[in-house]
């Protein structure tokens, strides 16, 4: 479909308003513009390309430090939650233990909700991640609002 429509639609599915997550929602697919098709993947490496482009863009606007780093992390890893149903979770442990995981899942909530997959994927993925992490491994996710 249309990239702009998809991006705007992601905001309908977020639960919390948060400037960093909102910037990541706005910029999460910006790498698709420069991505090349490879091995049947139409937007190969778009998350990596988008993370770099997002950082450059935010710095050009005068944003610095943690805000840029956090948006970079979110955009770079925005595809990770969608992989947890098919790839062993230990491969993503660094991302899953990161304190920014709730923001990443909120980004995923918007991204997946605004696609043909719908919001149900968010609930399946979050449940699997919580089970994998167990109680106390990522306290931030324990308090995250997982309601529909």
């Amino acid at each position: 479909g249309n990239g702009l429509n998809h991006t705007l639609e992601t905001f309908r599915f977020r639960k919390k308003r948060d400037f960093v997550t909102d910037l990541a929602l706005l910029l999460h697919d910006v790498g698709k513009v420069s991505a090349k098709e490879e091995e049947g993947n139409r937007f190969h490496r778009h998350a990596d390309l988008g993370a770099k482009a997002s950082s450059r863009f935010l710095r050009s606007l005068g944003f610095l430090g943690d805000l840029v780093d956090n948006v970079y992390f979110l955009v770079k890893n925005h595809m990770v939650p969608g992989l947890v149903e098919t790839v062993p979770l230990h491969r993503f442990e660094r991302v899953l233990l990161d304190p920014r995981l709730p923001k990443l899942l909120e980004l995923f909530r918007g991204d997946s909700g605004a696609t043909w997959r719908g919001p149900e994927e968010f609930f399946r993925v979050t449940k699997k991640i919580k089970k994998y992490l167990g109680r106390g491994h990522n306290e931030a996710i324990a308090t995250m609002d997982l309601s529909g």
Side-chain angles (χ1 to χ4, degrees), residues 33 42 55 58 65 86 106 116:
V33 174
R42 193 167 150 206
S55 290
L58 292 172
T86 56
E106 193 63 24
W116 56 269

Side-chain angles (χ1 to χ4, degrees), residues 55-75:
S55 290
R56 285 190 307 271
F57 174 68
L58 292 172
R59 284 191 172 94
S60 76
L61 294 176
F63 292 106
L64 301 170
D66 287 346
L67 183 134
V68 175
D69 293 342
N70 290 333
V71 172
Y72 178 92
F73 172 85
L74 295 173
V75 173

Side-chain angles (χ1 to χ4, degrees), residues 123-135:
F123 297 107
R124 287 193 317 272
V125 164
T126 304
K127 183 178 179 182
K128 185 171 182 176
I129 290 171
K130 284 183 95 168
K131 184 177 180 183
Y132 174 78
L133 291 176
R135 190 157 178 81

